[in-house]
Amino acid sequence: MKKLCLMVLALILFNSCTKNFEEINTNPNQITDKLLEQDFNLVGSSFSVMLFNLMGHQIEEDLCYDNWMGYMGTPTPYVGNVNNTTYYLRWIDAYWNRIYGSVMSPSKQVIELAVEKKLPLFGDWAKLVRILAISKLTAIHGPVIYANYGTSGLGAIKYDKESDLYNNMFTQLDQIETNLKANSTYTGFTKFDPSYKGDIALWLKLLNSVRFRLAMRLVKVSPTIAKTQGEKALADAAGLISTNAENFLLPLNGNVMPVSMISFDWNDTRMGATMESFMVGLKDGRVAKYFNEVSDASLVTDHPSYKYKGIRSGAFINAKDDRVPYSTVSTDFKSVQKRRGFTASEIAFLKAEAALRGWAGAGDAKTNYENGVRLSFADWGAAGVDAYLIDATSKPINYIDPKDSRNNFTALSTITVAWNEGDSNELKLEKIITQKYLATFTNTLEAWVDFRRTGYPKIPHVAKNDSNPDWGIITADQWIKRLVFVPAERTGNASAVAEASTFLSSGKDDIASRLWWDTSTVSNF
């Protein structure tokens, strides 16, 4: 726990460092050469920090949805082995504080300065980064403060209903897109942009990709809006992220990749048992790019040809040293300086799902599915994709914990990799989402979104369920649905939190309340 405290202090110290268009006859949105002559440091210097803080760290990723989705497991029995990983909340506000302190706050300053200095595109860029941030935060908590963020006064700062929030984000994406397209040759972002080097064409591809991602979230709760927005993204001339060269990579700004630090420096995270079940069972060549083999052969007697061992989500853990010998992440993560924020493989899988749903412009489901797998293997530098794609026999394996049989589980999924046109749409969707899950290692929030909205991939329940009325009860046949509103808001903005709770399907601010788009409908079609 000392390491957790030191990490939080480091984040706080790190984070602390941190109009309108002129009238032109030919194009009212065109920026004049006069504006291009200005020094943009005042409005541009915050972007690398904002982009870095779009992603989380130990508390908000590794001990939450990384663990809940079985990507990673902790060998450490934090707080007597009763914590977020076992559905009793100890850490709630890390990502909330990160987004509001290190993205929303500096973006507000940029937007105001952009008006003052007559640099409107910087304001649009900041608004797009805001959408990236808030679309992640709402996937964790549900209602969030967005439309009313930064309002003055002593009254409550109201939360956005999720339905209103998504409509607002789509509207803002329209406005940002119009302005970026009107200034497609603009180069003012270049020295401040660690992701795309100021290339407006690539930011437009990302914008369409974000629209597509958000549209698919709503496919069950609001299918008409989902289809309209999804088809709009598919049809836009600017295109979507379609090659690995176009992947949206986020800067680490000289920091160590979080999952590497947690795994190697702290020994507080290891491979997840669910990843072991899928990747070993399906003979997935990416496993060596994600994780290291164990040195102790006695840990993998059930599959000695694949020397990888994971920890189950919400595991029964007595002593940390028992599972430190399990698989760490790949040593390659020690040297990376960027992390994946949005990839071409995710778009291919989104297109595969859209094709199943009959969206115009989505193409063929099988082609997109196989393209998604190929893009992911290429992105990670893994071999063997051709054999992998035609494998119609290998299936996820059951999991055995050599240290405690209470953590064992029988694989819930029986899928194979090879595409079969004769399968039902439901089974095809399971394959698509499972491969999307395997492709999005180190960028795992969307996998938790997909799981809640579709039920795929089929993952085991936590071994040890400590949920109780304090934070909400997750029944034995269910999984955690959200994080509650943060303590500072519960006390300092209580009336707004009370209203926001009524926006949730259950009317209760607890971990069992489904988000707006997380319907209880069993069938996806």
Side-chain angles (χ1 to χ4, degrees):
M1 202 62 193
K2 179 180 179 182
K3 289 171 182 173
L4 283 169
C5 295
L6 290 172
M7 185 275 295
V8 172
L9 177 60
L11 282 174
I12 292 170
L13 292 172
F14 176 82
N15 291 339
S16 68
C17 297
T18 65
K19 190 135 185 173
N20 294 325
F21 295 121
E22 293 184 352
E23 293 293 329
I24 300 174
N25 292 333
T26 57
N27 187 338
N29 294 317
Q30 187 73 40
I31 294 179
T32 64
D33 290 339
K34 177 183 175 182
L35 294 182
L36 296 177
E37 296 171 1
Q38 299 185 40
D39 183 350
F40 305 150
N41 283 309
L42 194 59
V43 289
S45 59
S46 298
F47 279 91
S48 64
V49 172
M50 290 192 289
L51 292 170
F52 170 80
N53 281 290
L54 288 176
M55 309 296 278
H57 203 287
Q58 183 183 24
I59 296 175
E60 57 262 61
E61 281 186 347
D62 191 68
L63 292 171
C64 289
Y65 40 84
D66 270 6
N67 199 291
W68 298 330
M69 290 304 300
Y71 287 102
M72 306 300 297
T74 180
T76 309
Y78 292 111
V79 201
N81 198 200
V82 178
N83 53 62
N84 287 36
T85 71
T86 66
Y87 293 172
Y88 188 87
L89 300 187
R90 302 292 186 182
W91 315 295
I92 301 168
D93 56 7
Y95 194 61
W96 178 281
N97 292 342
R98 180 187 293 276
I99 292 302
Y100 284 107
S102 298
V103 181
M104 293 296 285
S105 177
S107 68
K108 179 177 182 291
Q109 295 174 350
V110 169
I111 292 165
E112 291 171 349
L113 280 169
V115 173
E116 178 186 336
K117 303 298 182 182
K118 297 183 179 180
L119 294 168
L121 276 194
F122 276 89
D124 289 314
W125 190 20
K127 290 173 185 176
L128 180 52
V129 174
R130 270 190 168 189
I131 291 172
L132 285 164
I134 217 70
S135 67
K136 291 177 177 292
L137 191 66
T138 186
I140 296 170
H141 295 281
V144 292
I145 298 169
Y146 187 63
N148 293 309
Y149 176 76
T151 55
S152 58
L154 300 177
I157 302 176
K158 294 197 171 189
Y159 285 62
D160 296 63
K161 262 186 191 176
E162 290 174 86
S163 55
D164 295 340
L165 175 64
Y166 280 87
N167 285 335
N168 191 1
M169 287 193 289
F170 288 133
T171 298
Q172 289 193 352
L173 287 173
D174 290 340
Q175 296 165 349
I176 297 165
E177 181 180 22
T178 296
N179 296 337
L180 291 181
K181 283 182 173 179
N183 296 278
S184 59
T185 60
Y186 184 70
T187 59
F189 300 164
T190 303
K191 73 175 183 177
F192 308 109
D193 180 5
S195 297
Y196 284 144
K197 305 302 180 188
D199 190 328
I200 298 296
L202 291 176
W203 279 100
L204 283 166
K205 286 179 181 290
L206 175 63
L207 184 151
N208 283 328
S209 300
V210 170
R211 185 192 299 277
F212 197 22
R213 175 194 274 174
L214 298 183
M216 194 61 75
R217 281 190 194 175
L218 311 187
V219 73
K220 289 169 74 172
V221 70
S222 188
T224 300
I225 291 176
K227 187 172 187 287
T228 298
Q229 292 294 332
E231 290 181 344
K232 184 173 186 177
L234 287 163
D236 192 84
L240 299 153
I241 296 171
S242 59
T243 69
N244 286 327
E246 298 168 347
N247 287 350
F248 180 52
L249 303 178
L250 296 165
L252 291 176
N253 293 344
N255 294 280
V256 176
M257 178 77 172
V259 75
S260 174
M261 180 182 293
I262 304 164
S263 187
F264 295 113
D265 296 356
W266 302 345
N267 278 326
D268 281 335
T269 198
R270 290 294 183 264
M271 178 187 200
T274 306
M275 289 295 270
E276 178 189 336
S277 174
F278 278 108
M279 300 195 88
V280 171
L282 297 177
K283 301 179 175 61
D284 195 314
R286 291 167 291 188
V287 67
K289 301 298 181 179
Y290 294 178
F291 302 105
N292 284 335
E293 292 183 335
V294 298
S295 57
D296 183 354
S298 70
L299 298 176
V300 289
T301 55
D302 52 328
H303 47 78
S305 297
Y306 288 85
K307 297 180 173 63
Y308 300 93
K309 179 52 61 179
I311 300 173
R312 183 172 177 179
S313 304
F316 289 93
I317 300 171
N318 293 318
K320 176 176 179 174
D321 288 347
D322 287 345
R323 292 175 183 77
V324 167
Y326 288 21
S327 291
T328 64
V329 293
S330 168
T331 309
D332 292 345
F333 286 111
K334 289 185 176 183
S335 59
V336 299
Q337 270 304 294
K338 289 187 178 180
R339 61 182 301 187
R340 292 162 177 82
F342 210 133
T343 63
S345 63
E346 180 182 343
I347 287 297
F349 292 124
L350 283 167
K351 289 174 70 175
E353 180 175 354
L356 286 186
R357 299 186 181 283
W359 290 8
D364 175 69
K366 176 180 184 289
T367 302
N368 287 317
Y369 169 78
E370 293 184 345
N371 188 39
V373 176
R374 290 185 184 281
L375 283 164
S376 177
F377 269 67
D379 186 26
W380 289 98
V385 69
D386 291 333
Y388 184 76
L389 281 169
I390 62 173
D391 188 345
T393 57
S394 299
K395 298 179 180 180
I397 60 169
N398 300 333
Y399 169 74
I400 296 173
D401 184 351
K403 300 298 181 180
D404 193 330
S405 62
R406 291 177 296 176
N407 296 322
N408 296 352
F409 65 77
T410 300
L412 296 179
S413 178
T414 59
I415 63 164
T416 60
V417 175
W419 188 265
N420 180 357
E421 283 295 350
D423 287 340
S424 66
N425 276 354
E426 200 68 52
L427 183 53
K428 289 175 180 176
L429 181 62
E430 183 185 353
K431 289 193 175 189
I432 291 167
I433 299 299
T434 300
Q435 286 300 322
K436 187 179 176 187
Y437 164 81
L438 294 172
T440 53
F441 184 60
T442 70
N443 183 18
T444 57
L445 178 57
E446 283 305 309
W448 188 32
V449 171
D450 286 337
F451 176 68
R452 286 174 288 169
R453 73 176 178 86
T454 69
Y456 303 129
K458 292 182 178 178
I459 62 174
H461 297 87
V462 291
K464 183 173 181 282
N465 185 339
D466 291 312
S467 65
N468 71 31
D470 289 354
W471 302 111
I473 296 174
I474 304 297
T475 56
D477 63 340
Q478 287 296 321
W479 294 260
I480 190 168
K481 305 300 182 186
R482 63 184 286 270
L483 281 183
V484 300
F485 299 124
V486 302
E489 283 288 301
R490 284 179 157 203
T491 56
N493 197 21
S495 63
V497 167
E499 181 185 52
S501 299
T502 68
F503 300 158
L504 296 165
S505 57
S506 68
K508 294 192 293 187
D509 176 23
D510 65 19
I511 63 174
S513 293
R514 295 176 182 270
L515 301 192
W516 174 56
W517 42 261
D518 176 11
T519 71
S520 58
T521 305
V522 175
S523 173
N524 285 288
F525 296 93

